[in-house]
Amino acid sequence: MADILPPLTTKEAFEKVDNSNLTRPVGYHFVDNEACDFLKRGYFRGLNLDYYPAFFDEKLHISARTEPEHYELGASYYFHPKLEFTGYVNTHGGLTASVKAITDNLIIVAMTELRNARLYMAGAGFEYLALNYRAQLLLGSDSDIGLFGATYIQRVTPRLSLGGEFFWCSVYPKLGYAARYETDKMVASAKKGFTRH
């Protein structure tokens, strides 16, 4: 255990953290995946196969994924290093498409999903990237249900990030918070969420 947790001296414990020297944390959705998905019983993301054909000047990426329930084929095309179009089709009759634009401080994503030739989901996301925090706003609809979401995560020490989330849809609201502690050898994530039906 001593080799996982770094030694902490009394001087380090009482030093004031200089926020200008902290790096940007990972996105809130990464913490969500680390804290929830990996703990599910029988967790299996499937087998991925990625292909990057050189004759397209590395602008086209083709991928395939097989999961216990279905098979999915996807492709991404990079119009520019900061502009990407992605599409997936699966054996359940679903078609997903998204466009992602990245600037130095902002990520904008527009997405839509069709199921059995009907519009199932449409949405947009805006994520602001600051020096030591990330804030995200999500707007969308999912099967005639409106959705509004916001997440925020900030690095509070060189190893600890704390964040929170709020989601509202016409069925129920959700409120949650998360923590992520990382060293060179391990990552520990925790998340707690509340919903009201």
Side-chain angles (χ1 to χ4, degrees):
M1 186 74 171
D3 61 337
I4 293 176
L5 297 175
L8 183 66
T9 65
T10 306
K11 181 182 176 188
E12 287 176 337
F14 292 106
E15 273 184 4
K16 182 169 173 38
V17 176
D18 181 10
N19 287 339
S20 63
N21 289 332
L22 296 177
T23 59
R24 183 180 301 143
V26 298
Y28 197 91
H29 58 282
F30 285 108
V31 178
D32 192 30
N33 287 344
E34 290 169 349
C36 297
D37 287 350
F38 296 133
L39 298 177
K40 289 181 181 172
R41 184 175 169 202
Y43 174 79
F44 177 65
R45 278 276 176 155
L47 176 67
N48 289 329
L49 171 67
D50 294 323
Y51 176 64
Y52 305 101
F55 55 86
F56 282 106
D57 194 22
E58 297 183 3
K59 290 185 176 185
L60 177 67
H61 298 179
I62 300 170
S63 64
R65 179 169 58 197
T66 179
E67 295 185 8
E69 297 87 26
H70 73 280
Y71 179 79
E72 184 175 81
L73 179 65
S76 296
Y77 186 79
Y78 294 85
F79 295 97
H80 184 272
K82 296 187 175 191
L83 182 62
E84 169 190 0
F85 173 77
T86 303
Y88 289 95
V89 64
N90 64 40
T91 54
H92 290 310
L95 173 67
T96 305
S98 66
V99 176
K100 181 185 207 180
I102 303 170
T103 67
D104 292 336
N105 291 1
L106 188 65
I107 298 174
I108 302 169
V109 178
M111 63 206 109
T112 187
E113 183 177 346
L114 301 172
R115 288 192 184 172
N116 299 319
R118 292 180 174 239
L119 182 63
Y120 177 76
M121 184 272 302
F126 308 91
E127 185 170 16
Y128 179 72
L129 310 172
L131 183 64
N132 60 1
Y133 71 88
R134 300 168 85 120
Q136 184 179 42
L137 176 68
L138 302 166
L139 304 167
S141 66
D142 188 359
S143 295
D144 301 325
I145 298 172
L147 171 70
F148 168 80
T151 66
Y152 179 87
I153 188 164
Q154 180 167 1
R155 190 174 300 272
V156 293
T157 71
R159 299 188 184 277
L160 179 65
S161 299
L162 299 174
E165 67 178 343
F166 172 76
F167 283 94
W168 178 88
C169 68
S170 55
V171 178
Y172 63 89
K174 177 183 176 187
L175 184 66
Y177 52 89
R180 185 176 196 265
Y181 184 83
E182 59 186 288
T183 68
D184 296 335
K185 297 182 180 182
M186 69 93 176
V187 172
S189 298
K191 183 182 176 196
K192 177 68 176 171
F194 307 94
T195 58
R196 190 184 78 194
H197 293 279

